[in-house]
Amino acid sequence: MRDRICIVGVAESDCGSVPDQSALQLHHQAAKAACEDAGLEKRAIDGLFSCGSDGMHPLQVAEYLGLRPTYIDGTQVGGSSWEFFVEHATAALQAGLCTVALLVYGSTARSDWQRRLRVAETPPARGPAQFEAPYGLTLVGKYALAARRHMHEYGTTHRQLAAVAVSANRWAQLNPRAFNYGKPLSIDEALKSRMIADPLHQSDCGLRTDGGGAVILATAERARDLRRKPIRVLGTGEAVSHVHLSQWHEMPSLVAAESGSRALEQAGLTVRDVDVLQIYDALTIMVLLTLEALGFCEPGESGPLAESGALAPGGRLPTNTDGGGLAANHPGMRGLFLLIEATRQLRGECGARQVPNARVALCNGTGGYLSSCGTVVLGE
Amino acid sequence: MNRPDVLTAHLPVIDAESEPFWAAARERKFLIRHCEACGRDHFYPRRYCPHCWSERCVWRPACGRGRIYSYTVIRHNEAPPFRDMVPYIVALVELDEGVRVIANLEECTPDVVHVGMAVEVIYQRITDEITLPQFRPRSPF
């Protein structure tokens, strides 16, 4: 029998608008706070899992934090990398290649735009990208292609997409750390927001914030001596489909169907056992596609499901309970925050937004351009 | 859409693998790749077959007709040269051969475009080196 692996510490850095901190400083804040949460010393960390958009990112982070890990993983498959890391860290811990695994992230995406350190530019039209870059398909436009196809196949409506945004916003009103806390959103306001890439409005697009976070994993045996109730990794799965939209043969079906079924099978559970859901939501359409791929509803039923209020506070499928990327924070690769919120829900630490009797949580990260999915099932 | 000549950062950087495609585009032909080992087509073009890894791939002219699998009307793009072109339509076209292609839909307005629309390839000469395949609506008959 392989060792059970647990999440033993979680933390966020300062999030939102953090113009006075660098991305590496946010890594430091988050790592230190997660160690304090777990009751671990820095010197206990011997596994490092991190990615970012700079070169040799894990080396940058190890050096800045003064770490000399014996196991390093810098998998970069977009914002879902953190769910992939949980699978990789679980394997590394079970193999004895490290004993305490730190997943750590930090980004100043919002402040970088405000400082003009990041600007809109056309991606280089080299290699395979030379067949797409000339046509001005924006980031939002890529998701819009999937959304339009979904509308065509199933009759999904703008209002149903808006319901996803409003649901996230309602959760954010219960989370004082959410960027849109105190800024409620109605369906009508969402539908009136400007069109970015038809059929996606501004309200369908996630936030751009600064922020960082950290998650620490260890074996169940190690977890016994630590400060917090350990949250067990019950199952994991990962899958990829494409980078360029012309290569996504199954559009609009996400590969979460594969990663999710593997994760649930490993956990010995079904979707009916899941009490709380964290779904990567850089755009509203991602939530609908993910619900269908994971089997929480039949293909085409996710729009009506969202419109019914099932995802919102008090609904039967509490989803993105911190407010998600649509209303809480989105520094660019937010898959780590799914794990943090799920852990807090299972610990019962969530106050006004706590889902009663949450025993099983499912996190599904989606990265790239609906390209990669990592699923993690967590339980008490 | 009209392309300002001075702004060319988005234009393809032709390499050894892609050169035959762009050379054919200059001659107003749209080439896809066909694998003689497994019989399957692919696009964008690779030297080797992504389906079976065979080296026996050849160029084949596509018929240039297809249908819109999906599309978006880009209304916001800060990146040059596109910021001066909005709104414009980006279509994912499924060619009759079965492969899918990203391009702009020309000679069409956002209120008319729809999934399933029958389209045909046209060619937009940008520079001496680059002619971009694009699509426009065609009669369904």
Side-chain angles (χ1 to χ4, degrees):
Chain A
M1 176 84 183
R2 293 188 304 177
D3 287 337
R4 282 293 191 180
I5 304 304
C6 301
I7 291 179
V8 297
V10 298
E12 291 157 290
S13 71
D14 292 343
C15 288
S17 183
V18 193
D20 59 336
Q21 300 268 332
S22 71
L24 286 168
Q25 285 175 309
L26 297 180
H27 282 77
H28 166 87
Q29 275 191 1
K32 185 171 183 178
C35 278
E36 284 166 5
D37 185 61
L40 279 164
E41 299 288 327
K42 174 196 170 209
R43 64 172 180 274
I45 296 164
D46 55 4
L48 176 63
F49 300 74
S50 189
C51 62
S53 47
D54 52 339
M56 294 190 283
H57 183 81
L59 287 184
Q60 307 278 356
V61 172
E63 179 184 276
Y64 189 85
L65 297 182
L67 291 172
R68 293 286 184 95
T70 58
Y71 192 89
I72 296 183
D73 188 335
T75 299
Q76 168 53 293
V77 290
S80 60
S81 298
W82 309 99
E83 281 69 35
F84 283 60
F85 282 146
V86 172
E87 176 153 295
H88 302 178
T90 297
L93 289 162
Q94 285 172 337
L97 298 173
C98 57
T99 60
V100 174
L102 170 70
L103 282 54
V104 60
Y105 174 57
S107 158
T108 48
R110 182 180 188 82
S111 294
D112 289 353
W113 275 87
Q114 287 172 344
R115 290 189 286 252
R116 304 286 296 167
L117 295 176
R118 292 192 199 191
V119 296
E121 49 191 26
T122 297
R126 295 177 186 277
Q130 71 188 281
F131 296 97
E132 276 191 17
Y135 302 107
L137 181 58
T138 57
L139 178 64
V140 178
K142 293 176 184 184
Y143 295 89
L145 289 177
R148 172 58 64 191
R149 183 69 198 182
H150 197 267
M151 287 177 157
H152 171 75
E153 289 190 13
Y154 303 115
T156 308
T157 65
H158 290 281
R159 181 170 282 271
Q160 289 165 352
L161 289 170
V164 175
V166 167
S167 169
N169 182 275
R170 285 184 57 201
W171 282 111
Q173 303 318 309
L174 305 175
N175 177 11
R177 287 178 58 83
F179 195 76
N180 283 352
Y181 179 72
K183 291 178 254 181
L185 176 76
S186 72
I187 293 272
D188 286 340
E189 285 166 339
L191 289 172
K192 279 184 200 147
S193 67
R194 71 174 173 154
M195 194 69 89
I196 303 294
D198 187 319
L200 299 176
H201 294 251
Q202 180 76 59
S203 62
D204 291 305
C205 303
L207 301 163
R208 178 184 286 138
T209 66
D210 303 323
V215 168
I216 299 176
L217 295 109
T219 61
E221 188 184 359
R222 181 69 182 263
R224 241 179 264 133
D225 306 326
L226 298 179
R227 185 173 289 158
R228 295 292 189 173
K229 178 172 86 171
I231 300 303
R232 284 162 50 178
V233 178
L234 301 179
T236 58
E238 58 187 71
V240 301
S241 49
H242 66 277
V243 177
H244 298 92
L245 276 284
S246 64
Q247 309 301 302
W248 184 15
H249 308 298
E250 313 92 325
M251 178 195 279
S253 299
L254 274 187
V255 285
E258 298 170 34
S259 60
S261 61
R262 278 200 287 274
L264 284 165
E265 188 183 347
Q266 205 176 84
L269 298 173
T270 74
V271 291
R272 285 184 296 280
D273 300 309
V274 175
D275 300 311
V276 57
L277 260 171
Q278 308 297 334
I279 294 177
Y280 202 114
D281 61 341
L283 290 114
T284 52
I285 184 64
M286 297 173 76
V287 175
L288 299 190
L289 300 182
T290 306
L291 287 167
E292 294 175 11
L294 292 172
F296 283 93
C297 62
E298 292 298 312
E301 289 182 359
S302 60
L305 186 67
E307 205 172 2
S308 77
L311 314 181
R316 69 176 175 86
L317 273 180
T319 299
N320 295 340
T321 50
D322 61 343
L326 290 163
N329 65 48
H330 197 306
M333 298 172 63
R334 99 170 286 278
L336 192 69
F337 298 100
L338 310 185
L339 302 167
I340 293 172
E341 176 67 6
T343 299
R344 289 177 173 161
Q345 285 286 348
L346 295 174
R347 287 177 177 174
E349 294 176 344
C350 286
R353 67 180 194 279
Q354 179 66 45
V355 174
N357 305 314
R359 293 172 184 279
V360 174
L362 186 147
C363 305
N364 192 88
T366 297
Y369 316 110
L370 301 160
S371 311
S372 64
C373 288
T375 310
V376 175
V377 181
L378 300 173
E380 282 183 296
Chain B
M1 52 182 153
N2 297 316
R3 290 176 181 275
D5 288 340
V6 288
L7 298 163
T8 56
H10 62 299
L11 291 181
V13 179
I14 298 175
D15 54 45
E17 196 172 23
S18 67
E19 199 280 331
F21 176 85
W22 297 111
R26 288 193 292 271
E27 306 296 321
R28 307 174 70 80
K29 280 187 230 140
F30 193 99
L31 297 184
I32 61 173
R33 293 287 274 173
H34 175 75
C35 176
E36 295 187 318
C38 72
R40 297 182 68 179
D41 296 325
H42 73 263
F43 188 85
Y44 61 92
R46 290 93 147 162
R47 180 162 296 170
Y48 310 120
C49 177
H51 305 296
C52 75
W53 286 6
S54 166
E55 289 79 22
R56 289 169 51 209
C57 281
V58 295
W59 294 97
R60 272 197 180 170
C63 71
R65 290 186 299 272
R67 289 184 182 274
I68 291 183
Y69 186 81
S70 191
Y71 70 92
T72 176
V73 183
I74 304 290
R75 298 187 184 271
H76 177 81
N77 187 352
E78 289 174 21
F82 301 104
R83 65 184 171 205
D84 301 322
M85 298 176 182
V86 292
Y88 56 91
I89 302 169
V90 181
L92 179 60
V93 173
E94 188 162 281
L95 297 180
D96 287 355
E97 288 80 5
V99 298
R100 293 190 201 144
V101 180
I102 291 282
N104 299 122
L105 186 67
E106 306 283 343
E107 304 175 31
C108 185
T109 53
D111 55 320
V112 174
V113 60
H114 59 272
V115 175
M117 180 183 241
V119 296
E120 64 188 2
V121 69
I122 57 172
Y123 296 91
Q124 198 174 50
R125 187 180 178 280
I126 309 292
T127 66
D128 286 348
E129 193 182 30
I130 303 294
T131 293
L132 289 180
Q134 301 281 22
F135 287 83
R136 71 177 176 198
R138 73 178 156 94
S139 158
F141 305 108

